[in-house]
Amino acid sequence: EFHADRARAPHLEQPVHRPRLELAAALVSVAVRLYAGRHDGAAPTLSDLGCGDGGLLSLVQGHVEAWGYDFSPANSAGWPERGVKAEALDVFGADRDRVRLGNITTTTEVLEHIAEPHGAVRWIGEHSEFIVASSPWNETPEWHDECHAWAWDQRGYRALIEQGGFRVLRHEQVMQFQVVLGWKP
């Protein structure tokens, strides 16, 4: 309900978010190379859960077959502009059974918004070999975005990803965000 009337979030054009998306795209590139190395050169697929207006998908186009999902109606306007494939679905709720996860799943600036992030990461871990996820690292009970239900420091975010069956390969900080690349050994 909170997101139903929110405006489009053009994160790729926002100076505070662009470095996070660029780092996430770089970690996707690492995951693509690792996947190919583990699977005799095969190309992986990528699903972006909470893809927003398609900013991250536009950065990884051409490197991997990719698609996304987002439940905010305003964000869908960006998909044709960015030339990305995406669908309007509530991936962590009522539409979960309609979601197709790729070999790599990205979920950037999403897990802090949902009711059960631990279960969501476990679900991703059941279907994807790699995860690229991001979240703020510096929020506190006294200072946080009004729509964030969760906040993690770096140790807590690593634990969130690891409890989903992933080993954290990279955990980097860019501005107020932390970005993680995890893989299933």
Side-chain angles (χ1 to χ4, degrees), residues 47 101-105 123-130 166 184:
S47 54
L101 295 178
N103 308 114
I104 302 167
T105 293
W123 172 62
I124 293 167
E126 291 168 5
H127 302 280
S128 298
E129 198 169 324
F130 293 89
F166 294 99
K184 300 221 28 188

Side-chain angles (χ1 to χ4, degrees), residues 64 75 83 94 97 108 158:
V64 61
N75 283 327
D97 61 336
T108 62
R158 174 182 285 271

Side-chain angles (χ1 to χ4, degrees), residues 13-137:
E13 289 75 34
Q14 296 171 331
V16 71
H17 285 284
R18 185 175 185 94
R20 167 186 61 83
L21 290 171
E22 289 173 339
L23 177 55
L27 294 181
V28 165
S29 294
V30 171
V32 167
R33 288 192 306 276
L34 291 171
Y35 182 90
R38 292 175 74 182
H39 297 279
D40 297 321
T45 58
L46 179 138
S47 54
D48 187 0
L49 307 182
C51 70
D53 77 343
L56 178 58
L57 287 171
S58 72
L59 293 176
V60 301
Q61 283 186 122
H63 302 287
V64 61
E65 178 190 353
W67 60 90
Y69 303 99
D70 200 273
F71 63 83
S72 181
N75 283 327
S76 64
W79 304 337
E81 291 173 23
R82 296 196 190 282
V84 300
K85 294 186 294 187
E87 190 175 350
L89 290 178
D90 180 6
V91 298
F92 297 112
D95 298 323
R96 183 167 140 172
D97 61 336
R98 297 177 48 202
V99 173
R100 177 173 67 113
L101 295 178
N103 308 114
I104 302 167
T105 293
T106 59
T107 182
T108 62
E109 301 310 295
V110 173
L111 295 172
E112 63 273 12
H113 294 270
I114 64 175
E116 182 41 52
H118 297 81
V121 173
R122 286 192 298 273
W123 172 62
I124 293 167
E126 291 168 5
H127 302 280
S128 298
E129 198 169 324
F130 293 89
I131 187 172
V132 175
S134 73
S135 177
W137 65 267

